[in-house]
Each structure stands twice: as C-alpha cells, then as structure tokens.
Amino acid sequence: MADDPDDIQRDIERTRAELARTVDEIAERVSPRRAAHRGVEHLRTHPEQVATVVAVAAAFVALVVLLRRRRRCR
C-alpha cells in the first residue's frame, strides 16, 4: 500500500476511470436499443435462423389469438 499522497491520488483516479469504463460497458450491454441491434445483426449474419424466429413469432401470435377467443366464448 502506498503512503505517498500523490500515489494514493493517482490510484484513486485510475480506479475511478476503470469504474467509469465498467459502468459504460454495462450500460451498453443492457441498453434495449443496443440489444435489439445486436439481435438484428445476429440474424443478418445467421440467415438460417430467420425462419426459426419467424415460426416462433407466428406461433406466439396464434397462441395469443386463440387464448383471447377462448376467453370471449366463456
């Protein structure tokens, strides 16, 4: 552990800078806009998965429609 105040101050500044970078990286990862962009880019680079995504989305929509119709009939 450094006893020199200048060394301690530099250590604090370095730690703050590292923490700021870490917080920025976390914010980038959890940003909904960035997550959507990464998803689109992934599908662009893996076109074979587009059909799977479309099928899952269609199945979800069909399920929602069926559940709503079923509730109305009761």
Side-chain angles (χ1 to χ4, degrees):
M1 186 83 187
D3 291 331
D4 181 32
D6 291 335
D7 287 343
I8 295 170
Q9 184 64 34
R10 280 191 294 274
D11 208 23
I12 290 170
E13 290 171 3
R14 185 175 43 253
T15 302
R16 283 182 180 160
E18 290 172 5
L19 180 59
R21 279 192 302 275
T22 301
V23 169
D24 289 343
E25 289 175 12
I26 291 170
E28 178 76 17
R29 288 181 186 179
V30 299
S31 163
R33 179 174 285 172
R34 292 291 186 185
H37 180 70
R38 283 192 303 270
V40 168
E41 287 303 312
H42 179 79
L43 290 177
R44 283 185 183 156
T45 58
H46 299 86
E48 67 280 0
Q49 293 179 353
V50 173
T52 303
V53 171
V54 170
V56 169
F60 178 75
V61 169
L63 179 64
V64 169
V65 169
L66 288 173
L67 289 175
R68 285 187 177 182
R69 284 185 183 173
R70 189 173 179 188
R71 285 184 184 168
R72 279 191 225 154
C73 292
R74 289 182 181 188

Coordinates of all heavy atoms in Angstrom, one line a residue:
M1 N 0.8 -1.2 0.0 CA 0.0 0.0 0.0 C 0.9 1.2 0.0 O 1.8 1.4 0.8 CB -0.9 0.0 1.2 CG -1.9 1.0 1.3 SD -3.3 0.5 0.3 CE -4.3 2.0 0.3
A2 N 0.6 2.2 -0.9 CA 1.4 3.4 -1.0 C 1.0 4.4 0.1 O -0.2 4.5 0.5 CB 1.2 4.0 -2.3
D3 N 2.0 5.0 0.7 CA 1.8 6.0 1.7 C 1.9 7.4 1.2 O 1.4 8.4 1.8 CB 2.8 5.9 2.9 CG 2.6 4.6 3.6 OD1 1.4 4.1 3.7 OD2 3.6 4.0 4.2
D4 N 2.4 7.6 0.0 CA 2.6 8.9 -0.6 C 1.2 9.4 -1.1 O 0.5 8.7 -1.8 CB 3.6 8.8 -1.8 CG 3.8 10.1 -2.4 OD1 3.8 11.2 -1.7 OD2 4.0 10.1 -3.7
P5 N 0.8 10.6 -0.7 CA -0.5 11.1 -1.1 C -0.7 11.2 -2.6 O -1.8 11.0 -3.1 CB -0.5 12.5 -0.4 CG 0.4 12.4 0.7 CD 1.5 11.5 0.3
D6 N 0.4 11.5 -3.3 CA 0.3 11.6 -4.8 C 0.0 10.2 -5.4 O -0.7 10.1 -6.3 CB 1.6 12.2 -5.4 CG 1.8 13.7 -5.0 OD1 0.7 14.3 -4.8 OD2 2.9 14.1 -5.0
D7 N 0.7 9.2 -4.8 CA 0.5 7.8 -5.3 C -1.0 7.4 -5.0 O -1.6 6.8 -5.8 CB 1.4 6.8 -4.6 CG 2.8 6.9 -5.1 OD1 3.0 7.5 -6.2 OD2 3.8 6.4 -4.4
I8 N -1.5 7.7 -3.8 CA -2.8 7.4 -3.4 C -3.8 8.1 -4.4 O -4.8 7.5 -4.9 CB -3.1 7.8 -2.0 CG1 -2.2 6.9 -1.0 CG2 -4.6 7.7 -1.6 CD1 -2.3 7.4 0.4
Q9 N -3.6 9.4 -4.7 CA -4.4 10.1 -5.6 C -4.4 9.5 -7.0 O -5.5 9.4 -7.6 CB -4.0 11.6 -5.6 CG -4.9 12.5 -6.5 CD -6.3 12.6 -5.9 OE1 -6.5 12.6 -4.7 NE2 -7.3 12.7 -6.7
R10 N -3.3 9.1 -7.5 CA -3.2 8.5 -8.8 C -4.0 7.2 -8.8 O -4.7 6.8 -9.8 CB -1.8 8.3 -9.2 CG -1.1 9.6 -9.8 CD 0.2 9.3 -10.4 NE 1.2 8.8 -9.4 CZ 2.0 9.6 -8.7 NH1 1.9 10.9 -8.8 NH2 2.8 9.1 -7.8
D11 N -3.8 6.4 -7.7 CA -4.5 5.2 -7.6 C -6.0 5.4 -7.6 O -6.8 4.6 -8.2 CB -4.1 4.5 -6.3 CG -4.2 3.0 -6.4 OD1 -4.2 2.4 -7.5 OD2 -4.3 2.3 -5.3
I12 N -6.5 6.4 -6.9 CA -7.9 6.7 -6.8 C -8.4 7.1 -8.2 O -9.5 6.6 -8.7 CB -8.2 7.8 -5.8 CG1 -8.0 7.3 -4.4 CG2 -9.6 8.4 -6.0 CD1 -8.0 8.4 -3.3
E13 N -7.7 7.9 -8.9 CA -8.1 8.4 -10.3 C -8.1 7.2 -11.2 O -9.0 7.1 -12.1 CB -7.1 9.5 -10.7 CG -7.3 10.8 -10.0 CD -6.3 11.8 -10.3 OE1 -5.4 11.6 -11.1 OE2 -6.3 12.9 -9.6
R14 N -7.1 6.3 -11.1 CA -7.1 5.1 -12.0 C -8.3 4.2 -11.7 O -9.0 3.8 -12.6 CB -5.8 4.4 -11.8 CG -5.6 3.2 -12.8 CD -4.3 2.5 -12.7 NE -3.8 2.3 -11.3 CZ -2.8 3.0 -10.7 NH1 -2.2 4.0 -11.4 NH2 -2.4 2.7 -9.5
T15 N -8.6 4.1 -10.4 CA -9.8 3.2 -10.1 C -11.1 3.9 -10.6 O -12.0 3.2 -11.1 CB -9.8 3.0 -8.5 OG1 -8.6 2.4 -8.1 CG2 -11.0 2.2 -8.1
R16 N -11.2 5.2 -10.4 CA -12.4 5.9 -10.9 C -12.6 5.7 -12.4 O -13.7 5.5 -12.9 CB -12.3 7.4 -10.6 CG -12.7 7.7 -9.2 CD -12.6 9.2 -9.0 NE -12.9 9.5 -7.6 CZ -12.6 10.6 -7.0 NH1 -12.0 11.5 -7.6 NH2 -13.0 10.8 -5.7
A17 N -11.5 5.8 -13.2 CA -11.5 5.7 -14.6 C -11.9 4.2 -15.0 O -12.7 4.0 -15.9 CB -10.2 6.0 -15.2
E18 N -11.4 3.3 -14.3 CA -11.8 1.9 -14.6 C -13.2 1.6 -14.2 O -13.9 0.9 -15.0 CB -10.9 0.9 -13.7 CG -9.4 0.8 -14.2 CD -8.6 0.0 -13.3 OE1 -9.1 -0.6 -12.3 OE2 -7.3 0.0 -13.5
L19 N -13.7 2.2 -13.1 CA -15.1 2.0 -12.8 C -16.0 2.7 -13.8 O -17.0 2.1 -14.2 CB -15.3 2.6 -11.4 CG -16.8 2.5 -10.8 CD1 -17.2 1.1 -10.8 CD2 -16.8 3.2 -9.5
A20 N -15.6 3.9 -14.3 CA -16.4 4.6 -15.3 C -16.5 3.7 -16.6 O -17.6 3.6 -17.2 CB -15.8 5.9 -15.6
R21 N -15.4 3.1 -17.0 CA -15.4 2.3 -18.2 C -16.3 1.1 -18.0 O -17.1 0.7 -18.8 CB -14.0 1.8 -18.5 CG -13.2 2.8 -19.3 CD -11.9 2.2 -19.9 NE -11.0 1.7 -18.8 CZ -10.1 2.4 -18.1 NH1 -10.0 3.7 -18.3 NH2 -9.4 1.8 -17.3
T22 N -16.2 0.5 -16.8 CA -17.0 -0.7 -16.5 C -18.5 -0.3 -16.5 O -19.3 -1.1 -17.1 CB -16.7 -1.3 -15.1 OG1 -15.3 -1.6 -15.1 CG2 -17.5 -2.5 -14.8
V23 N -18.9 0.8 -15.9 CA -20.3 1.2 -15.9 C -20.8 1.5 -17.3 O -21.9 1.1 -17.7 CB -20.5 2.5 -15.0 CG1 -21.8 3.1 -15.2 CG2 -20.3 2.1 -13.6
D24 N -19.9 2.1 -18.2 CA -20.3 2.4 -19.6 C -20.5 1.1 -20.3 O -21.4 0.9 -21.1 CB -19.2 3.2 -20.2 CG -19.2 4.6 -19.8 OD1 -20.2 5.1 -19.1 OD2 -18.1 5.3 -20.0
E25 N -19.6 0.1 -20.1 CA -19.8 -1.2 -20.7 C -21.1 -1.9 -20.3 O -21.8 -2.5 -21.2 CB -18.6 -2.1 -20.4 CG -17.3 -1.7 -21.1 CD -16.1 -2.5 -20.7 OE1 -16.3 -3.6 -20.1 OE2 -15.0 -2.1 -21.0
I26 N -21.4 -1.8 -19.1 CA -22.6 -2.5 -18.6 C -23.8 -1.8 -19.2 O -24.8 -2.4 -19.7 CB -22.7 -2.4 -17.0 CG1 -21.6 -3.4 -16.5 CG2 -24.1 -2.8 -16.5 CD1 -21.5 -3.3 -15.0
A27 N -23.8 -0.4 -19.2 CA -24.9 0.3 -19.8 C -25.1 0.0 -21.3 O -26.2 -0.2 -21.8 CB -24.7 1.8 -19.6
E28 N -24.0 -0.2 -22.0 CA -24.0 -0.6 -23.4 C -24.7 -2.0 -23.6 O -25.5 -2.2 -24.5 CB -22.6 -0.6 -23.9 CG -22.5 -1.0 -25.4 CD -22.9 0.1 -26.3 OE1 -23.1 1.2 -25.9 OE2 -23.2 -0.3 -27.5
R29 N -24.3 -2.9 -22.7 CA -24.8 -4.3 -22.8 C -26.3 -4.4 -22.5 O -27.0 -5.2 -23.1 CB -24.1 -5.2 -21.9 CG -22.7 -5.5 -22.3 CD -22.0 -6.4 -21.3 NE -20.6 -6.6 -21.7 CZ -19.8 -7.4 -21.0 NH1 -20.2 -8.0 -20.0 NH2 -18.6 -7.5 -21.4
V30 N -26.8 -3.6 -21.6 CA -28.2 -3.7 -21.2 C -29.2 -2.7 -21.9 O -30.4 -2.8 -21.6 CB -28.4 -3.6 -19.6 CG1 -27.6 -4.6 -18.9 CG2 -28.0 -2.2 -19.1
S31 N -28.6 -1.9 -22.7 CA -29.5 -1.0 -23.4 C -30.4 -1.7 -24.4 O -30.0 -2.5 -25.2 CB -28.6 0.0 -24.3 OG -29.3 0.6 -25.3
P32 N -31.7 -1.5 -24.3 CA -32.7 -2.2 -25.1 C -32.4 -1.9 -26.6 O -32.5 -2.9 -27.4 CB -34.0 -1.6 -24.7 CG -33.8 -1.2 -23.3 CD -32.4 -0.7 -23.3
R33 N -32.1 -0.7 -27.0 CA -31.8 -0.4 -28.4 C -30.6 -1.2 -28.9 O -30.6 -1.7 -30.0 CB -31.6 1.1 -28.5 CG -31.2 1.5 -29.9 CD -31.2 3.0 -30.1 NE -32.5 3.5 -30.0 CZ -32.8 4.8 -30.0 NH1 -31.9 5.7 -29.9 NH2 -34.1 5.1 -29.9
R34 N -29.5 -1.2 -28.1 CA -28.3 -2.0 -28.5 C -28.6 -3.5 -28.5 O -28.1 -4.2 -29.4 CB -27.2 -1.7 -27.5 CG -26.7 -0.3 -27.6 CD -26.0 -0.1 -28.9 NE -25.4 1.2 -28.9 CZ -24.8 1.7 -29.9 NH1 -24.7 1.1 -31.0 NH2 -24.2 2.9 -29.8
A35 N -29.4 -4.0 -27.6 CA -29.7 -5.4 -27.6 C -30.5 -5.8 -28.9 O -30.3 -6.8 -29.5 CB -30.6 -5.8 -26.4
A36 N -31.5 -4.9 -29.2 CA -32.2 -5.1 -30.5 C -31.3 -5.1 -31.7 O -31.4 -5.9 -32.6 CB -33.3 -4.1 -30.6
H37 N -30.4 -4.1 -31.7 CA -29.4 -4.0 -32.8 C -28.6 -5.3 -32.9 O -28.3 -5.8 -34.0 CB -28.6 -2.8 -32.6 CG -27.6 -2.6 -33.7 ND1 -27.9 -2.2 -35.0 CD2 -26.2 -2.7 -33.7 CE1 -26.9 -2.1 -35.7 NE2 -25.8 -2.4 -35.0
R38 N -28.1 -5.8 -31.7 CA -27.3 -7.0 -31.8 C -28.1 -8.2 -32.3 O -27.6 -9.0 -33.0 CB -26.7 -7.3 -30.4 CG -25.6 -6.4 -29.9 CD -24.9 -7.0 -28.7 NE -25.8 -7.1 -27.6 CZ -26.1 -6.1 -26.7 NH1 -25.5 -5.0 -26.8 NH2 -27.0 -6.3 -25.7
G39 N -29.4 -8.2 -31.9 CA -30.2 -9.3 -32.4 C -30.4 -9.3 -33.9 O -30.3 -10.3 -34.6
V40 N -30.6 -8.0 -34.4 CA -30.8 -7.9 -35.9 C -29.5 -8.3 -36.6 O -29.5 -9.0 -37.6 CB -31.2 -6.4 -36.2 CG1 -31.1 -6.2 -37.7 CG2 -32.6 -6.2 -35.7
E41 N -28.4 -7.8 -36.1 CA -27.1 -8.1 -36.7 C -26.8 -9.6 -36.6 O -26.3 -10.2 -37.6 CB -25.9 -7.4 -36.0 CG -25.9 -5.9 -36.3 CD -25.8 -5.6 -37.8 OE1 -24.9 -6.2 -38.5 OE2 -26.6 -4.8 -38.3
H42 N -27.2 -10.3 -35.6 CA -27.0 -11.7 -35.5 C -27.8 -12.4 -36.5 O -27.3 -13.3 -37.2 CB -27.4 -12.2 -34.1 CG -27.3 -13.7 -33.9 ND1 -26.1 -14.3 -33.7 CD2 -28.2 -14.7 -34.0 CE1 -26.3 -15.6 -33.6 NE2 -27.6 -15.9 -33.8
L43 N -29.1 -12.0 -36.7 CA -29.9 -12.6 -37.8 C -29.4 -12.3 -39.2 O -29.5 -13.2 -40.0 CB -31.3 -12.1 -37.6 CG -32.1 -12.6 -36.4 CD1 -33.5 -12.1 -36.3 CD2 -32.1 -14.2 -36.4
R44 N -28.8 -11.2 -39.4 CA -28.2 -10.9 -40.7 C -27.0 -11.8 -41.0 O -26.8 -12.2 -42.1 CB -27.7 -9.4 -40.7 CG -28.9 -8.5 -40.9 CD -28.3 -7.1 -41.1 NE -29.5 -6.1 -41.2 CZ -29.4 -4.9 -40.9 NH1 -28.3 -4.3 -40.5 NH2 -30.5 -4.1 -41.0
T45 N -26.3 -12.1 -39.9 CA -25.1 -13.0 -40.2 C -25.4 -14.5 -40.1 O -24.6 -15.3 -40.4 CB -24.0 -12.7 -39.2 OG1 -24.5 -12.8 -37.8 CG2 -23.5 -11.2 -39.3
H46 N -26.7 -14.8 -39.6 CA -27.1 -16.2 -39.5 C -28.5 -16.3 -40.1 O -29.5 -16.5 -39.4 CB -27.2 -16.6 -38.0 CG -25.8 -16.6 -37.3 ND1 -25.3 -15.5 -36.7 CD2 -24.9 -17.6 -37.2 CE1 -24.2 -15.7 -36.2 NE2 -23.9 -17.0 -36.5
P47 N -28.6 -16.2 -41.4 CA -29.9 -16.1 -42.1 C -30.7 -17.4 -41.9 O -32.0 -17.4 -42.0 CB -29.6 -15.9 -43.5 CG -28.2 -16.2 -43.7 CD -27.5 -16.0 -42.4
E48 N -30.1 -18.5 -41.6 CA -30.8 -19.8 -41.4 C -31.7 -19.7 -40.2 O -32.7 -20.4 -40.1 CB -29.9 -20.9 -41.3 CG -29.0 -21.0 -40.1 CD -27.7 -20.1 -40.2 OE1 -27.5 -19.4 -41.2 OE2 -27.0 -20.1 -39.2
Q49 N -31.4 -18.8 -39.2 CA -32.2 -18.7 -38.0 C -33.4 -17.8 -38.2 O -34.3 -17.8 -37.3 CB -31.3 -18.2 -36.9 CG -30.2 -19.2 -36.5 CD -29.3 -18.7 -35.4 OE1 -29.4 -17.5 -35.0 NE2 -28.5 -19.6 -34.9
V50 N -33.5 -17.1 -39.3 CA -34.6 -16.2 -39.5 C -35.9 -17.0 -39.6 O -36.9 -16.6 -39.0 CB -34.4 -15.3 -40.8 CG1 -35.7 -14.6 -41.1 CG2 -33.2 -14.4 -40.6
A51 N -35.9 -18.1 -40.2 CA -37.1 -18.9 -40.4 C -37.5 -19.4 -39.0 O -38.7 -19.4 -38.7 CB -36.8 -20.1 -41.3
T52 N -36.6 -19.7 -38.1 CA -37.0 -20.2 -36.8 C -37.6 -19.0 -36.0 O -38.6 -19.2 -35.3 CB -35.7 -20.7 -36.0 OG1 -35.1 -21.7 -36.8 CG2 -36.0 -21.2 -34.7
V53 N -37.0 -17.9 -36.1 CA -37.6 -16.7 -35.4 C -39.0 -16.4 -35.9 O -39.9 -16.1 -35.1 CB -36.7 -15.5 -35.5 CG1 -37.3 -14.2 -35.0 CG2 -35.3 -15.7 -34.8
V54 N -39.2 -16.4 -37.2 CA -40.5 -16.1 -37.8 C -41.5 -17.2 -37.3 O -42.6 -16.9 -37.0 CB -40.4 -16.1 -39.3 CG1 -41.8 -16.1 -39.9 CG2 -39.6 -14.9 -39.7
A55 N -41.1 -18.5 -37.3 CA -42.0 -19.5 -36.9 C -42.4 -19.4 -35.4 O -43.6 -19.5 -35.0 CB -41.4 -20.9 -37.1
V56 N -41.5 -19.0 -34.6 CA -41.7 -18.8 -33.1 C -42.7 -17.6 -33.0 O -43.6 -17.7 -32.2 CB -40.4 -18.7 -32.3 CG1 -40.7 -18.2 -30.9 CG2 -39.7 -20.0 -32.3
A57 N -42.4 -16.6 -33.7 CA -43.3 -15.4 -33.6 C -44.7 -15.7 -34.0 O -45.7 -15.3 -33.4 CB -42.7 -14.2 -34.4
A58 N -44.8 -16.4 -35.1 CA -46.1 -16.8 -35.6 C -46.9 -17.7 -34.6 O -48.1 -17.5 -34.4 CB -46.0 -17.5 -37.0
A59 N -46.2 -18.6 -34.0 CA -46.8 -19.5 -33.0 C -47.2 -18.7 -31.8 O -48.3 -18.9 -31.3 CB -45.8 -20.6 -32.6
F60 N -46.5 -17.7 -31.4 CA -46.8 -16.9 -30.3 C -48.1 -16.1 -30.6 O -49.0 -16.0 -29.8 CB -45.7 -15.9 -29.9 CG -46.0 -15.0 -28.8 CD1 -46.1 -15.5 -27.5 CD2 -46.3 -13.7 -29.0 CE1 -46.4 -14.6 -26.4 CE2 -46.6 -12.8 -28.0 CZ -46.6 -13.3 -26.7
V61 N -48.1 -15.5 -31.8 CA -49.3 -14.7 -32.2 C -50.5 -15.6 -32.2 O -51.6 -15.2 -31.8 CB -49.1 -14.0 -33.5 CG1 -50.4 -13.4 -34.1 CG2 -48.0 -12.9 -33.3
A62 N -50.4 -16.8 -32.8 CA -51.5 -17.7 -32.9 C -52.0 -18.1 -31.5 O -53.2 -18.2 -31.3 CB -51.1 -18.9 -33.7
L63 N -51.1 -18.3 -30.6 CA -51.5 -18.7 -29.2 C -52.2 -17.5 -28.6 O -53.3 -17.8 -27.9 CB -50.2 -19.0 -28.4 CG -50.5 -19.4 -27.0 CD1 -51.3 -20.7 -26.8 CD2 -49.1 -19.5 -26.2
V64 N -51.8 -16.3 -28.7 CA -52.5 -15.2 -28.1 C -53.9 -15.0 -28.7 O -54.8 -14.8 -28.0 CB -51.6 -13.9 -28.3 CG1 -52.5 -12.7 -28.0 CG2 -50.4 -13.9 -27.5
V65 N -54.0 -15.2 -30.0 CA -55.3 -15.1 -30.6 C -56.3 -16.2 -30.1 O -57.4 -15.9 -29.8 CB -55.2 -15.1 -32.2 CG1 -56.5 -15.3 -32.9 CG2 -54.5 -13.9 -32.7
L66 N -55.8 -17.4 -30.0 CA -56.6 -18.5 -29.6 C -57.0 -18.3 -28.1 O -58.2 -18.5 -27.8 CB -55.9 -19.8 -29.7 CG -55.7 -20.3 -31.1 CD1 -54.8 -21.6 -31.1 CD2 -57.0 -20.7 -31.7
L67 N -56.1 -17.8 -27.3 CA -56.5 -17.6 -25.9 C -57.5 -16.5 -25.7 O -58.4 -16.6 -24.9 CB -55.2 -17.3 -25.1 CG -54.3 -18.4 -24.8 CD1 -53.0 -18.0 -24.1 CD2 -54.9 -19.5 -24.1
R68 N -57.4 -15.4 -26.5 CA -58.4 -14.4 -26.5 C -59.8 -14.8 -26.9 O -60.8 -14.5 -26.3 CB -57.9 -13.2 -27.3 CG -56.8 -12.4 -26.6 CD -56.5 -11.2 -27.4 NE -55.5 -10.4 -26.7 CZ -55.0 -9.2 -27.1 NH1 -55.5 -8.7 -28.3 NH2 -54.1 -8.6 -26.4
R69 N -59.8 -15.6 -28.0 CA -61.1 -16.1 -28.5 C -61.7 -17.0 -27.4 O -62.9 -17.0 -27.3 CB -60.9 -16.9 -29.8 CG -60.7 -16.0 -31.0 CD -60.6 -16.8 -32.2 NE -60.3 -15.9 -33.4 CZ -60.1 -16.3 -34.6 NH1 -60.1 -17.6 -34.8 NH2 -59.9 -15.4 -35.5
R70 N -60.9 -17.8 -26.8 CA -61.4 -18.8 -25.8 C -62.0 -18.0 -24.6 O -63.0 -18.4 -24.1 CB -60.2 -19.7 -25.4 CG -60.7 -20.8 -24.5 CD -59.5 -21.7 -24.3 NE -59.9 -22.8 -23.4 CZ -59.1 -23.7 -22.9 NH1 -57.9 -23.6 -23.1 NH2 -59.6 -24.7 -22.2
R71 N -61.4 -16.9 -24.2 CA -61.9 -16.2 -23.1 C -63.2 -15.5 -23.5 O -64.1 -15.3 -22.6 CB -60.9 -15.1 -22.7 CG -59.7 -15.7 -21.9 CD -58.8 -14.6 -21.4 NE -57.7 -15.2 -20.8 CZ -56.6 -14.5 -20.5 NH1 -56.5 -13.2 -20.7 NH2 -55.6 -15.1 -19.8
R72 N -63.4 -15.1 -24.7 CA -64.6 -14.4 -25.1 C -65.8 -15.4 -25.2 O -66.9 -15.0 -25.0 CB -64.4 -13.8 -26.5 CG -63.7 -12.5 -26.5 CD -63.9 -11.8 -27.9 NE -62.6 -11.3 -28.2 CZ -62.1 -11.1 -29.4 NH1 -62.9 -11.4 -30.4 NH2 -60.9 -10.6 -29.6
C73 N -65.5 -16.6 -25.4 CA -66.6 -17.6 -25.6 C -67.1 -18.0 -24.2 O -68.2 -18.6 -24.2 CB -66.0 -18.9 -26.3 SG -65.7 -18.5 -28.0
R74 N -66.5 -17.8 -23.2 CA -66.9 -18.2 -21.8 C -68.0 -17.3 -21.3 O -68.4 -16.3 -21.5 CB -65.8 -18.2 -20.8 CG -64.8 -19.3 -21.1 CD -63.7 -19.3 -20.1 NE -62.8 -20.4 -20.4 CZ -61.8 -20.7 -19.6 NH1 -61.6 -20.1 -18.5 NH2 -61.0 -21.7 -20.0

